[in-house]
Amino acid sequence: MQLRYAFRLYPNAAQQTALARAFGCARVVFNDAVRAREDAREAGQLFPTAGQLSTRLITEAKRTPERAWLGEVSAVVLQQSLRDAEVAYKNFFASLKGTRKGPKLGAPRFKSRKDARQSIRFTANARWSITGRGRLNLPKIGAVKVKWSRTLPATPTSVTVVKDAAGRFFASFVIDTDPAVDQARMPATDRTIGIDLGLTHFAVLSDGTKIDSPRFLRRAEKKLKKAQRELSRKQKGSKNRAKARLKVARAHAKVTDARREFHHQLSTKLICENQGIAVEDLSVAGPARTKPAKSVHDAGWAQFVRMLTYKAQRYGRTMVTIGRFEPTSQTCSTCGVKDGPKPLNVREWTCTSCGTVHDRDTNAAINVKTAAGLAVSACGAPVRPGVIPAQREETGSHGFPTGNRAAIGAPLLERS
């Protein structure tokens, strides 16, 4: 199974200039690939292959005065940009054919230098390394300072350097993990749990535990409102507007990081304590068009469920998702009688059949667990972890470690 480990980078001024040059070159190659494909489509010709694009847009382009500056960055960065364009078209055509799950995808679009997120990728043949002093040595960029928060469990297969909207730099390492080792780390348990996600409480468990919603966005609204108001008063194109925009982006980044950290801690706790977990297949698109839309997005249900899913696969737990139309809030968890829909302001109700008094959310969580079959097959059958794509932001660079915590000893990652 592949995972990503992200660490904060602190490049100096010269390295930031080199990274900006690499971001720009990768963006130009990607846009040239999209333009070449679109020109071929309009002319009624076959799409050029990846090899033809590599020769035309990289090898031959470097010899021309207009694109000679492509030689100032690593060739691997340019090749990976072409590969990204290739994958984007494959996903687009798969979406048109209906062979790709999820919402329909549009055709690849041109990238802009004003995009909030910019990235470049270095694979093993790029000869990047982690030095003995714990710095990340990148070709034609230099040894960049890294804030290590933990030790990497294995040798990374690639590293992606990312610059986000807040102007922060991150190094995202892709690690291949051993499923047997991961499962051995997780304590054995026979507990199962059902989870009802909501707004009043972020999660209510079938054992009666209620987890309050942190509401990170709501708590930061006053500060965000002030920063956004200052941004709107700045003249477009001015340096003060750029500073104000960065201030807004950093405020939003704090909210995003806090929410992600909360989701990671809660999902890891639930995976550690339970062998089987059941949740509802919630649709965010519908509630996102209603009055509490901001609170729905602030909760981040989809991100939390994704974390539960891949962590269950990693550690051999059972993860069951029931249909969103299951009447979990209408059914009595004691006798099974369906008592009909109820307004959202009804938080407690009495079953007309057996007379049991139910807490609305706890009753729904018990019904989620029952509908998933976990109440009958206690502890469920362990799921063998499959090979899934590396999860973005699987683990962050939180905390303030002391000393050099570069991965598995720097000599193992040095490349001569």
Side-chain angles (χ1 to χ4, degrees):
M1 182 176 180
Q2 287 187 327
L3 296 175
R4 285 190 181 272
Y5 282 71
F7 301 90
R8 183 77 179 269
L9 294 180
Y10 292 92
N12 56 35
Q15 292 167 349
Q16 289 187 28
T17 302
L19 285 171
R21 186 184 303 116
F23 292 144
C25 291
R27 180 178 64 249
V28 167
V29 170
F30 182 93
N31 290 343
D32 287 346
V34 173
R35 187 178 294 106
R37 292 280 179 94
E38 290 302 310
D39 291 343
R41 181 185 62 84
E42 293 176 358
Q45 302 173 353
L46 293 176
F47 272 12
T49 63
Q52 293 172 341
L53 289 177
S54 177
T55 302
R56 186 197 314 173
L57 302 181
I58 299 178
T59 306
E60 296 178 354
K62 288 180 180 179
R63 304 188 185 120
T64 63
E66 296 81 5
R67 291 285 191 268
W69 35 264
L70 290 177
E72 298 177 4
V73 302
S74 172
V76 174
V77 169
L78 307 181
Q79 293 289 349
Q80 293 301 311
S81 186
L82 281 181
R83 180 170 296 183
D84 291 341
E86 186 76 11
V87 172
Y89 273 101
K90 286 183 179 180
N91 291 337
F92 168 58
F93 291 128
S95 180
L96 287 180
K97 296 177 182 177
T99 57
R100 187 182 188 276
K101 295 181 180 179
K104 293 293 184 180
L105 296 181
R109 296 180 296 180
F110 296 115
K111 291 185 178 182
S112 170
R113 68 178 64 185
K114 297 181 181 179
D115 288 344
R117 183 179 185 273
Q118 301 185 55
S119 64
I120 52 175
R121 186 167 60 254
F122 298 89
T123 53
N125 59 346
R127 303 179 71 85
W128 60 271
S129 63
I130 297 177
T131 67
R133 299 178 58 187
R135 291 178 177 259
L136 179 60
N137 193 13
L138 300 172
K140 297 190 178 183
I141 293 175
V144 185
K145 181 182 177 181
V146 185
K147 186 67 174 181
W148 298 104
S149 59
R150 67 198 72 192
T151 302
L152 294 176
T155 304
T157 58
S158 68
V159 59
T160 302
V161 179
V162 181
K163 181 182 180 182
D164 65 6
R168 303 177 301 177
F169 293 86
F170 294 91
S172 178
F173 299 92
V174 175
I175 303 292
D176 290 318
T177 62
D178 186 355
V181 174
D182 289 337
Q183 293 184 37
R185 292 171 49 197
M186 193 59 57
T189 180
D190 59 354
R191 290 186 55 189
T192 58
I193 205 76
I195 305 175
D196 178 64
L197 299 174
L199 296 179
T200 305
H201 294 89
F202 176 78
V204 177
L205 309 184
S206 56
D207 61 4
T209 304
K210 293 186 177 182
I211 302 168
D212 291 333
S213 179
R215 298 175 179 172
F216 296 107
L217 180 61
R218 292 292 189 181
R219 285 158 50 186
E221 270 188 322
K222 185 176 181 180
K223 183 178 180 180
L224 287 169
K225 182 179 179 180
K226 180 180 178 182
Q228 189 66 52
R229 184 166 58 243
E230 292 176 355
L231 173 62
S232 65
R233 292 171 177 171
K234 298 296 186 290
Q235 183 178 357
K236 291 186 178 181
S238 66
K239 291 185 178 180
N240 284 336
R241 184 178 178 85
K243 294 177 183 178
R245 185 209 62 79
L246 195 60
K247 188 176 181 179
V248 172
R250 287 172 176 167
H252 278 288
K254 287 183 179 180
V255 174
T256 303
D257 292 345
R259 183 189 298 116
R260 185 186 299 114
E261 182 70 11
F262 168 73
H263 288 164
H264 269 305
Q265 292 183 0
L266 179 58
S267 59
T268 300
K269 183 176 184 293
L270 294 175
I271 290 293
C272 288
E273 296 176 351
N274 301 278
Q275 175 64 37
I277 299 176
V279 295
E280 283 185 291
D281 179 23
L282 295 175
S283 173
V284 179
R289 292 192 294 267
T290 60
K291 187 175 181 179
K294 186 181 292 186
S295 297
V296 171
H297 289 300
D298 190 15
W301 297 327
Q303 177 179 253
F304 176 70
V305 172
R306 282 197 299 269
M307 288 182 181
L308 280 177
T309 302
Y310 85 77
K311 290 180 182 181
Q313 291 180 341
R314 180 183 183 185
Y315 296 112
R317 304 304 202 191
T318 301
M319 177 72 179
V320 182
T321 304
I322 69 170
R324 66 187 63 168
F325 299 110
E326 192 73 25
T328 56
S329 297
Q330 305 176 24
T331 306
C332 174
S333 59
T334 302
C335 63
V337 172
K338 185 177 178 181
D339 207 14
K342 302 166 186 63
L344 289 177
N345 62 345
V346 177
R347 310 314 302 173
E348 191 176 277
W349 57 281
T350 303
C351 178
T352 56
S353 178
C354 65
T356 305
V357 179
H358 292 293
D359 178 276
R360 180 191 182 107
D361 298 326
T362 304
N363 176 74
I366 296 174
N367 287 329
V368 169
K369 178 180 176 180
T370 304
L374 298 181
V376 177
S377 58
C379 81
V383 177
R384 178 180 298 175
V387 178
I388 63 175
Q391 301 294 319
R392 181 183 171 197
E393 302 291 351
E394 191 277 336
T395 183
S397 57
H398 306 287
F400 300 92
T402 57
N404 176 20
R405 300 183 63 179
I408 59 175
L412 294 180
L413 289 180
E414 280 291 335
R415 293 177 174 85
S416 56

